[in-house]
Amino acid sequence: MTFSASDTIKPYAAPPEGFSSGSELERVLRAGKFAVTSELNPPDSVDHADVFEAAAPLAEVTDAINATDASGANCHMSSIGICAVLTRARIETVYQISCRDRNRIAIQGDVLGAAAMGVRNVLCLTGDGVRAGDQPGAKPVFDFDAISLIRTIRTMRDSGQFLSGRKITKPPHLFIGAAENPCVEPLDWRAQRLQKKVEAGAQFIQTNYVFDLPRFERFMTRVRDLGLDENVYILAGIGPLASAKAARWMRNNVPGIHIPDDIIARLEGADNQGDEGRKICVEFLQKFREIKGVSGVHIMAYRREHLVAEILREAGLT
């Protein structure tokens, strides 16, 4: 029996001229369209059907689905595994890479492997500390931080070599992203931190949850003052809050989450807190569209993925 990779996998093609990758997300953003991405709730399972079940509510209404990499330092199916499953079904993915769990040798190898499977978007994260998760005795790695990870992937893509200087015979074509947290302290340094990531090679940014519009608008003003809106695509993060209790828990227990008291009070005063959380999400989505420099939205609906299509429809973003 003879076997050729071309029988099952498309050849690794160069991106169109002017593009960094063959990414659909990159194409949408470069076309000036308002992009929508979302996060998939990773299963604790080996059944690919569980991955598709989680992805199904998102696949037809978003431009790309993020495969989270043990977010909150909690173990689930790996990001690269989820990307492998979804890419085979021709669903656009964003491969999240956390620096917490792997050293530079493993990360560079994983980047090549992901690209070989058809992944075209990566999101570079430092990662939450292990003490935030359900296995606090795990040994953290942090060989990189997010900025050095961005530089490394850019070097692999643009210079065609590993950090060792060894040549990569066929470099990965990737659209490089990073995260930013515009609503938590130190607020005055958030735009400068973003600038460092852009200078390192970040091409798109997905922010953490934004529930404080005045803080976010001040951040975006500084972004525009630095001219960063001309050099990076910013996707503002939001999600439907299930209840005031859930919002308080997130604020107190999830690193990097800022939810103002007035949002929690609004939830508490509602007859149906889940519906009110959805309405808040819709309102913020509509407001994000009016802010200069915001190129899209990133929706994080943990275990509420079924609401994403409805939220986008109500916000006029389908």
Side-chain angles (χ1 to χ4, degrees), residues 164-224:
S164 66
R166 200 171 81 249
K167 180 179 174 58
I168 300 173
T169 56
K170 192 129 188 168
H173 302 302
L174 295 166
F175 191 41
I176 302 173
E180 191 48 72
N181 208 336
C183 296
V184 299
E185 298 290 349
L187 297 174
D188 292 341
W189 293 99
R190 287 295 167 185
Q192 285 87 339
R193 174 76 173 173
L194 173 61
Q195 184 175 31
K196 291 180 179 179
K197 292 180 178 180
V198 174
E199 290 171 350
Q203 297 168 284
F204 72 96
I205 298 293
Q206 293 173 324
T207 81
N208 209 328
Y209 291 99
V210 174
F211 287 107
D212 191 323
L213 199 64
R215 283 191 181 187
F216 183 64
E217 288 178 325
R218 288 195 292 272
F219 167 78
M220 288 303 302
T221 296
R222 183 62 178 144
V223 165
R224 293 191 297 271

Side-chain angles (χ1 to χ4, degrees), residues 26 29 49 58 73 97 102 161 163 169 190 227 231 247 264 273:
E26 182 180 7
L29 287 167
L58 308 174
I97 306 174
R102 296 180 294 285
Q161 62 183 35
L163 288 181
T169 56
R190 287 295 167 185
N231 296 296
I264 294 176
Q273 294 188 12

Side-chain angles (χ1 to χ4, degrees), residues 94-106:
V94 177
Y95 169 38
Q96 289 193 4
I97 306 174
S98 168
C99 300
R100 176 191 55 239
D101 306 316
R102 296 180 294 285
N103 67 15
R104 66 190 65 194
I105 298 171

Side-chain angles (χ1 to χ4, degrees), residues 242-265:
S243 65
K245 180 180 178 181
R248 278 202 184 87
W249 186 91
M250 289 171 62
R251 184 170 69 178
N252 294 333
N253 294 281
V254 181
I257 299 294
H258 167 67
I259 302 177
D261 289 338
D262 65 305
I263 294 291
I264 294 176

Side-chain angles (χ1 to χ4, degrees), residues 84-125:
V85 172
L86 295 183
T87 301
R88 286 171 63 188
R90 300 191 181 186
I91 295 173
E92 181 90 354
T93 61
V94 177
Y95 169 38
Q96 289 193 4
I97 306 174
S98 168
C99 300
R100 176 191 55 239
D101 306 316
R102 296 180 294 285
N103 67 15
R104 66 190 65 194
I105 298 171
I107 286 175
Q108 290 173 90
D110 283 350
V111 168
L112 279 191
M117 290 185 296
V119 171
R120 299 292 179 264
N121 310 292
V122 295
L123 188 77
C124 300
L125 305 168

Side-chain angles (χ1 to χ4, degrees), residues 55-63 65 91 309 312 318:
L58 308 174
E60 294 188 5
V61 295
T62 62
D63 296 302
I65 297 175
I91 295 173
L312 291 171
T318 50

